[in-house]
Amino acid sequence: MSTTQTNKIETIKATATKINEVDFDNLSFGAVFTDHLLECDFINGEWQQPVIKPYAPLLLDPSAKVFHYGQAIFEGMKAYKDTNNDIWLFRPDENYKRFNSSAVRMAMPEVPEFVFIEGLKQLLKLDEAWVKNGNESTMYIRPFMIATGAGVVANPSEDYKFMILLSPAKAYYSGEVKVLIAEHFSRAANGGIGAAKAAGNYAGQFYPTSLANKEGFQQVIWTDDATHTKLEEAGTMNVFFRINDTLLTAPVSERILDGITRKSLIDMAEKEGINVEVRPVLVSELVEASQKGTLKEIFGAGTAAVVNPIAGYSYKEVYYELPKIENSFASLLKDKLTSLQNKLTEDTFGWTVKV
Ligand SMILES: *Cc1c(COP(=O)(O)O)cnc(C)c1O
């Protein structure tokens, strides 16, 4: 019995806009949200009608399972406005698929495509004035789902809430990033939830990252939990290494998130004629390359920062600085990708989707 209409979106418009209070030239990442959000509840085994409504706080039962057992997942994506004022998404189907694989891993219901994709498009259209033109401005999109069912018995919730928030963002420069290679702490383990975009994966990183911060490192490069000999992710990003003119990155696994930026950069690099090797990369290899002078670059890759160059890394109390090079792969690939995303160059890959 399905009486609810998950194929129609109800819209309740805000009575006033907050847009005039926002300084679009000085946005800190993820701090400002648009006038509306999308909400869709899962109750009694069914998705209810999605609603676009004014952004406002939530009222939840204090025993809701998200607070006690951490059933919470999210996605991170972006929208771009081109010079014709058309809005574009970048590979949204990939975020949608990944969201539902995260849902399955966390024993949560899969979200219907209409709710996620069509809901997002309608939300973006309603708040389109918040999406600014130009390479420097994007709309960061945060779809997420939480367990709203009440009761502290430790089993999966019956009820869930899916939401999409929009947060206008400037291009993200994190400055000089020094990283610490993890020798004890782990982000993920075989059989665990590292490949899911689960909220708890982030909570688990905060403490080891804060210890690294105290030593003057902005991020941690995570290694495999069993041996701490393989390089896996940089903070909340996938990680690439350039040794001579070869670009190296680890294969995705149960411990590594299948990043959309990562796979897009691999395809773009190959198209540029760069030799890319997707294989386990050893810490010992990195140290040896540093000593021989063949390690040219390390960079993180993810939706928020796109490409984040790393200035140096520390391993077993030794700091290895990376050379300052011209024509870095990091800046080449970042330019290529952001130009494609902002529709400044032709999208020969077919990755951009019009809203
Ligand atoms: C989201 C995320 C990434 C990057 O994925 P993108 O799809 O490129 O944004 C990488 N690693 C982790 C752990 C992440 O959560």
Side-chain angles (χ1 to χ4, degrees):
M1 183 199 70
S2 182
T3 49
T4 49
Q5 285 196 300
T6 45
N7 62 346
K8 260 178 90 176
I9 298 165
E10 186 191 346
T11 300
I12 303 165
K13 283 195 187 167
T15 49
T17 178
K18 299 171 290 186
I19 199 166
N20 300 321
E21 295 160 28
V22 177
D23 177 358
F24 281 87
D25 294 324
N26 294 294
L27 290 167
S28 42
F29 184 79
V32 170
F33 295 91
T34 64
D35 291 323
H36 300 90
L37 54 73
L38 178 128
E39 179 177 62
C40 190
D41 288 326
F42 183 84
I43 299 168
N44 293 332
E46 276 185 44
W47 285 102
Q48 309 295 304
Q49 183 171 6
V51 187
I52 290 174
K53 60 185 207 180
Y55 191 101
L58 291 174
L59 187 64
L60 291 175
D61 193 293
S63 73
K65 291 191 200 265
V66 62
F67 300 132
H68 303 271
Y69 306 116
Q71 262 188 306
I73 59 169
F74 68 95
E75 266 304 322
M77 49 204 297
K78 280 179 175 172
Y80 312 82
K81 193 178 256 180
D82 69 13
T83 47
N84 300 322
N85 287 332
D86 286 325
I87 299 175
W88 298 84
L89 291 164
F90 181 70
R91 309 185 80 174
D93 49 318
E94 294 283 340
N95 294 94
Y96 171 65
K97 275 191 271 172
R98 188 170 69 190
F99 191 78
N100 279 345
S101 354
S102 298
V104 169
R105 180 62 186 83
M106 301 304 284
M108 300 169 93
E110 292 177 73
V111 174
E113 184 171 353
F114 179 83
V115 174
F116 190 107
I117 301 285
E118 187 55 30
L120 172 57
K121 287 182 177 174
Q122 291 196 19
L123 179 63
L124 281 166
K125 278 187 192 143
L126 185 60
D127 281 338
E128 72 177 328
W130 293 77
V131 192
K132 302 293 181 190
N133 306 95
N135 221 348
E136 293 292 294
S137 301
T138 57
M139 179 62 80
Y140 184 76
I141 302 162
R142 171 52 60 89
F144 69 105
M145 177 163 45
I146 53 171
T148 49
V152 295
V153 57
N155 55 23
S157 175
E158 304 257 317
D159 303 334
Y160 296 88
K161 188 182 287 297
F162 170 73
M163 300 186 106
I164 304 178
L165 312 180
L166 301 180
S167 178
K170 294 297 279 180
Y172 188 104
Y173 298 110
S174 39
E176 182 151 285
V177 179
K178 293 180 181 169
V179 296
L180 187 65
I181 295 185
E183 291 169 49
H184 170 68
F185 290 104
S186 301
R187 190 194 81 86
N190 283 336
I193 59 170
K197 242 175 146 66
N201 283 336
Y202 281 67
Q205 290 187 53
F206 290 161
Y207 175 66
T209 305
S210 74
L211 295 181
N213 292 161
K214 280 188 198 128
E215 290 181 54
F217 302 99
Q218 287 73 42
Q219 281 300 345
V220 174
I221 292 198
W222 303 104
T223 47
D224 67 295
D225 63 298
T227 66
H228 295 289
T229 57
K230 294 176 203 152
L231 298 153
E232 305 217 311
E233 296 220 44
T236 58
M237 293 180 287
N238 295 112
V239 64
F240 286 83
F241 307 90
R242 173 180 174 186
I243 296 180
N244 288 318
D245 284 333
T246 298
L247 195 56
L248 300 154
T249 193
V252 290
S253 71
E254 279 188 299
R255 302 182 304 268
I256 299 182
L257 193 110
D258 187 1
I260 297 157
T261 314
R262 173 189 173 278
K263 59 182 154 203
S264 305
L265 292 181
I266 293 173
D267 290 351
M268 292 198 121
E270 283 174 342
K271 198 168 169 221
E272 291 303 304
I274 295 169
N275 180 36
V276 184
E277 286 181 21
V278 177
R279 60 160 177 85
V281 187
L282 302 175
V283 183
S284 57
E285 237 182 300
L286 197 69
V287 170
E288 202 185 297
S290 281
Q291 287 161 344
K292 285 200 292 205
T294 54
L295 180 67
K296 301 284 196 280
E297 294 177 59
I298 305 178
F299 55 89
T303 295
V306 188
V307 167
N308 200 347
I310 287 163
Y313 67 94
S314 175
Y315 180 63
K316 294 204 188 294
E317 314 279 306
V318 182
Y319 182 69
Y320 301 87
E321 185 143 318
L322 284 154
K324 306 252 176 304
I325 57 164
E326 282 174 28
N327 307 319
S328 73
F329 287 173
S331 63
L332 172 82
L333 295 172
K334 181 170 185 166
D335 281 355
K336 292 262 170 206
L337 184 56
T338 55
S339 305
L340 181 153
Q341 289 169 327
N342 286 283
K343 304 301 283 183
L344 300 171
T345 53
E346 196 194 339
D347 171 14
T348 52
F349 295 93
W351 286 335
T352 49
V353 173
K354 198 167 164 178
V355 170

